């Protein structure tokens, strides 16, 4: 397995492309937007510069990593000769089904098709292809080059051969793969998102403020960041979408998004990427200043 195609040049896509390229694989990074591809490559370059500055890699290794990545705006061109395609597009079921239907037509039958979805059913995504045994979930964590975990999710029809291949490949990337079964939210988000949602409920009910909730979880539970800061980092829109997928899948009210979360998403206050969420990021990307909405 030498050629890897990655669909989507956003946060997760460029991180996945970076990780494969740094491990010596030839990567075809695909996005319909030239601007997104440029931003993605700029991000990869900046992240590699930080690694050089910290003496984790050499300048030569940085250049080799960048040379391993080629960009494409056409899926059919980008997936040519790929042994594995990793889809990392927006967390939207209809979009993913459309992409996989196109991949079914554009790739050979022995190409493994992986999705980086964080909550959507692998079995449902696999229904868009003629041979669903080659479809698997490969859920990387953000930031991809740093985080060790990869959730490997078997769909109902995913073959043992494909699963074993992806488990082995993840180890070659110096990651720790954990195999899980296909249920809404898998393991990571099934546990994480209700915690984040409960933290938002705690704020919504006036039990404590943003800083206080996060401090309790950081100092009392040894979490590296509080749940509200983490929600901002993930994106409140992404958290909301994942909770809706789980609520729809389980029909259990405990997964229903908190009304405060819903309103913040509607207002466009979705965290770091919008400049404001539970914290104000207008001056710093660090969660140092609580949003004025919650600071009075």
């Amino acid at each position: 397995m030498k050629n890897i195609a990655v669909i989507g040049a956003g946060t997760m896509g460029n991180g996945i492309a970076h990780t494969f390229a740094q491990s010596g694989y030839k990567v075809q990074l695909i996005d319909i937007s030239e601007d997104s591809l440029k931003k993605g490559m700029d991000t990869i370059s900046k992240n590699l510069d930080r690694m050089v500055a910290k003496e984790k890699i050499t300048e030569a290794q940085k250049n080799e990593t960048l040379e391993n990545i080629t960009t494409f705006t056409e899926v059919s061109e980008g997936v040519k000769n790929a042994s594995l395609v990793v889809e990392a597009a927006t967390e939207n079921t209809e979009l993913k089904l459309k992409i996989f239907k196109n991949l079914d037509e554009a790739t050979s039958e022995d190409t493994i098709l992986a999705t980086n979805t964080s909550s959507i059913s692998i079995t449902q995504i696999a229904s868009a292809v003629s041979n669903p045994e080659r479809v698997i979930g490969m859920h990387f964590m953000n930031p991809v080059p740093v985080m060790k975990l990869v959730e490997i999710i078997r769909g109902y029809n995913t073959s043992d051969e494909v699963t074993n291949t992806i488990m082995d490949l993840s180890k070659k990337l110096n990651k720790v793969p954990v195999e899980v079964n296909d249920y809404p939210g898998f393991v990571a988000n099934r546990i994480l998102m209700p915690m984040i949602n409960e933290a938002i409920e705690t704020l919504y009910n006036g039990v404590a403020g943003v800083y206080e909730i996060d401090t309790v979880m950081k100092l009392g539970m040894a979490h590296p960041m509080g749940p509200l800061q983490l929600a901002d980092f993930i994106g409140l829109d992404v958290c909301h979408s994942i909770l809706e997928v789980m609520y729809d899948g389980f029909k259990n009210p405990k997964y229903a998004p908190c009304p405060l979360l819903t309103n913040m998403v509607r207002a466009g206050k979705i965290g770091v990427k919008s400049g404001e969420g539970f914290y104000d990021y207008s001056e710093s990307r660090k969660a140092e200043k609580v949003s004025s909405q919650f600071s009075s």
Side-chain angles (χ1 to χ4, degrees), residues 14 148 184:
N14 71 60
K148 290 286 189 181

Side-chain angles (χ1 to χ4, degrees), residues 2-16:
K2 295 181 180 180
N3 296 323
I4 311 295
V6 178
I7 298 177
T11 300
M12 296 305 294
N14 71 60
I16 294 167

Side-chain angles (χ1 to χ4, degrees), residues 135-263:
V135 178
I136 193 166
M138 200 175 186
H139 179 209
F140 290 86
M141 305 293 135
N142 185 29
V144 181
V146 176
M147 301 292 279
K148 290 286 189 181
L149 176 67
V150 184
E151 270 190 311
I152 307 299
I153 308 106
R154 293 184 67 130
Y156 190 81
N157 293 300
T158 305
S159 71
D160 290 339
E161 181 183 1
V162 166
T163 303
N164 292 336
T165 297
I166 295 301
M167 291 287 284
D168 290 341
L169 176 63
S170 299
K171 292 172 185 175
K172 290 175 183 176
L173 297 175
N174 198 29
K175 301 297 186 186
V176 178
V178 176
E179 183 183 336
V180 304
N181 290 319
D182 187 19
Y183 291 92
F186 315 133
V187 171
N189 282 321
R190 183 168 180 174
I191 295 170
L192 175 63
M193 288 301 154
M195 183 193 74
I196 287 176
N197 202 40
E198 193 63 29
I200 298 171
E201 286 278 3
T202 303
L203 176 66
Y204 181 57
N205 292 331
V207 178
V210 171
Y211 172 80
E212 289 75 16
I213 291 167
D214 277 355
T215 299
V216 166
M217 296 305 292
K218 286 191 288 186
L219 300 186
M221 313 306 165
H223 290 194
M225 66 173 71
L228 300 177
Q229 180 188 356
L230 180 56
D232 275 356
F233 179 73
I234 294 168
L236 303 192
D237 53 337
V238 175
C239 294
H240 193 273
S241 294
I242 294 169
L243 285 164
E244 286 193 315
V245 167
M246 292 197 294
Y247 180 55
D248 183 61
F250 290 115
K251 300 296 189 292
N252 188 323
K254 75 177 181 179
Y255 298 112
C258 173
L260 174 59
L261 174 60
T262 300
N263 281 342

Side-chain angles (χ1 to χ4, degrees), residues 79-140:
V79 300
K80 279 184 179 178
N81 304 316
S83 303
L84 166 68
V85 180
V86 182
E87 171 272 316
T90 305
E91 192 75 346
N92 177 283
T93 303
E94 295 307 314
L95 175 61
K96 291 185 187 295
L97 288 171
K98 181 180 178 181
I99 289 171
F100 273 77
K101 186 175 186 300
N102 291 338
L103 289 176
D104 191 40
E105 299 167 356
T107 59
S108 62
E109 289 192 358
D110 59 352
T111 301
I112 297 174
L113 305 179
T115 173
N116 183 58
T117 180
S118 56
S119 60
I120 299 169
S121 167
I122 308 304
T123 304
Q124 183 179 8
I125 292 171
S127 69
V129 307
S130 55
N131 46 342
E133 65 273 5
R134 66 178 172 136
V135 178
I136 193 166
M138 200 175 186
H139 179 209
F140 290 86

